[in-house]
Amino acid sequence: MVTANKSSKGSNILEFDNDAIRAREQEVAQETDQSIMDRLRERFKILDDMTLAVKQGNVRAMIVSGPPGVGKSYGVESVLEKADLFNKLAEKKPKYEIVKGAMSAIGLYAKLYEFSAPGNVVVFDDCDSILMEDLSLNILKGALDSSSRRFISWNTDSRILRSEGIPDRFEFKGAAIFITNIKFEHVRSKKLRDHLDALESRCHYIDLQMDTTREKILRIKQIITDGMLDRYDFDKPDEVRDELVKFIDDNQTKLRELSLRMVLKLADLRKSFPENWQATARTTCMKRG
Ligand SMILES: Nc1ncnc2c1ncn2[C@@H]1O[C@H](COP(=O)(O)OP(=O)(O)OP(=O)(O)O)[C@@H](O)[C@H]1O
Ligand SMILES: [Mg+2]
């Protein structure tokens, strides 16, 4: 069964294939905790390695997909920031930009032009609306193409582009990363599917699969163990860590979302209301009923 989530334009953006998720849950049930955690760590390591390869210009285009709040943006951003440190220290303009949210086709074109030099990276993070509009999508296809030379053109006369000194055709020598929550193989809308297939065939595609509750909980535990909560400077960090992990474990089916973002929300509450944070969390972080 497919549960569709319609966008404002009426096309299906996110569709959850519940049968596929159930089948995946059965597969994951056969695995040990350790093997799941090793697998997840390896995937995120690949995300880091690939992001670095994009920054170094060895990989020219990459799509990253995965559920909300698992660390896609964090992973890509941390690697780019670190790799661009030299520029930052020299107080030069960063050679990468992370673009978030909605963007017009002309805005997309102009952004790619701005970052068209070799060594530059443009990250489109949660910019799914680009996929819904043919003009934007064709520009994106041009940017994400892994062929040796990528020319991107703007076919109509534009006063805005002229006034900005942007040509109506240019070679994109930079690199691009597209981060999305859309799970490509679960999309059923024929039109969107064809577009996504076209993008996927053009560039590297990393799916940070984590569809099951068990995988999400284990990833949460893994990142907490890595020190995600250190920045809170809790008085008794180990006790607080165990308290938070137990709360998440006990309420895994009730929490609105199982994600690293939820961990931070709960840690914020623990920090603000050490005595009764759980009651507040029940009201603000849990599904009704
Ligand atoms: N390895 C990590 N260590 C510490 N904090 C992390 C780590 N990964 C993610 N986080 C934190 O978890 C939160 C969610 O991560 P992030 O924003 O990267 O998720 P996302 O996968 O991009 O989600 P969305 O699809 O909703 O954009 C962020 O506040 C981020 O700082
Ligand atoms: Mg993100």
Side-chain angles (χ1 to χ4, degrees):
M1 196 184 97
V2 176
T3 315
N5 182 348
K6 300 255 180 194
S7 81
S8 54
K9 287 190 178 169
S11 46
N12 296 328
I13 299 181
L14 284 173
E15 299 187 38
F16 306 104
D17 184 339
N18 294 331
D19 291 340
I21 293 174
R22 257 193 297 279
R24 180 84 194 116
E25 252 155 17
Q26 283 172 4
E27 269 171 42
V28 170
Q30 311 292 320
E31 270 185 277
T32 62
D33 283 0
Q34 194 54 52
S35 107
I36 295 174
M37 288 205 278
D38 290 349
R39 173 163 59 72
L40 294 176
R41 194 168 297 286
E42 190 187 314
R43 288 216 152 238
F44 278 85
K45 168 83 172 59
I46 291 172
L47 175 67
D48 288 356
D49 293 349
M50 288 291 287
T51 305
L52 192 59
V54 171
K55 183 76 182 84
Q56 289 166 343
N58 300 324
V59 169
R60 310 245 307 271
M62 166 168 89
I63 298 172
V64 182
S65 97
V70 296
K72 300 183 295 299
S73 305
Y74 179 93
V76 168
E77 213 168 324
S78 319
V79 171
L80 290 179
E81 201 182 316
K82 215 152 101 195
D84 207 57
L85 199 61
F86 185 74
N87 261 314
K88 197 174 174 181
L89 293 175
E91 294 186 1
K92 286 192 187 153
K93 182 177 176 253
K95 284 191 157 195
Y96 71 94
E97 184 162 318
I98 298 174
V99 180
K100 293 193 187 215
M103 178 168 245
S104 64
I106 200 160
L108 173 64
Y109 183 83
K111 190 54 73 188
L112 288 168
Y113 178 70
E114 186 186 342
F115 286 86
S116 57
N120 284 331
V121 183
V122 195
V123 182
F124 298 101
D125 192 0
D126 284 328
C127 294
D128 294 344
S129 65
I130 292 177
L131 304 174
M132 306 303 148
E133 210 249 306
D134 286 348
L135 186 52
S136 301
L137 190 77
N138 281 325
I139 295 171
L140 186 69
K141 270 189 202 166
L144 291 180
D145 200 329
S146 54
S147 60
S148 59
R149 300 190 75 182
R150 289 163 295 173
F151 288 96
I152 305 181
S153 0
W154 187 264
N155 287 328
T156 52
D157 183 46
S158 160
R159 198 169 43 81
I160 303 175
L161 293 183
R162 257 185 291 121
S163 69
E164 298 284 326
I166 300 175
D168 55 13
R169 186 169 189 266
F170 65 90
E171 184 174 0
F172 182 66
K173 294 181 181 171
I177 301 178
F178 191 83
I179 307 179
T180 177
N181 292 136
I182 298 180
K183 199 167 167 58
F184 281 25
E185 66 263 37
H186 285 179
V187 169
R188 295 293 162 95
S189 143
K190 170 83 175 81
K191 187 173 170 222
L192 185 54
R193 201 27 296 156
D194 289 348
H195 288 324
L196 296 180
D197 284 348
L199 284 179
E200 198 180 326
S201 88
R202 278 167 168 74
C203 61
H204 292 271
Y205 177 75
I206 302 183
D207 179 1
L208 295 166
Q209 311 159 355
M210 218 183 298
D211 301 318
T212 67
T213 303
R214 186 158 171 231
E215 286 165 303
K216 287 179 187 160
I217 291 273
L218 288 169
R219 175 72 183 159
I220 285 172
K221 288 184 181 165
Q222 187 171 55
I223 299 300
I224 292 182
T225 310
D226 285 354
M228 183 192 193
L229 301 174
D230 291 355
R231 65 176 114 152
Y232 285 90
D233 220 7
F234 287 118
D235 282 345
K236 294 180 181 161
D238 292 351
E239 275 177 35
V240 174
R241 189 192 61 208
D242 293 349
E243 203 183 326
L244 285 165
V245 168
K246 183 170 184 325
F247 184 85
I248 294 168
D249 234 344
D250 291 348
N251 297 292
Q252 49 180 269
T253 56
K254 298 181 196 152
L255 288 166
R256 285 183 188 279
E257 179 184 282
L258 268 182
S259 69
L260 296 173
R261 213 171 269 134
M262 179 57 81
V263 175
L264 296 177
K265 285 183 193 169
L266 295 171
D268 289 345
L269 295 177
R270 175 63 179 74
K271 186 83 185 171
S272 311
F273 316 107
E275 301 306 323
N276 62 349
W277 68 275
Q278 301 202 2
T280 313
R282 277 191 193 93
T283 307
T284 59
C285 300
M286 288 193 190
K287 297 175 211 158
R288 267 189 276 165

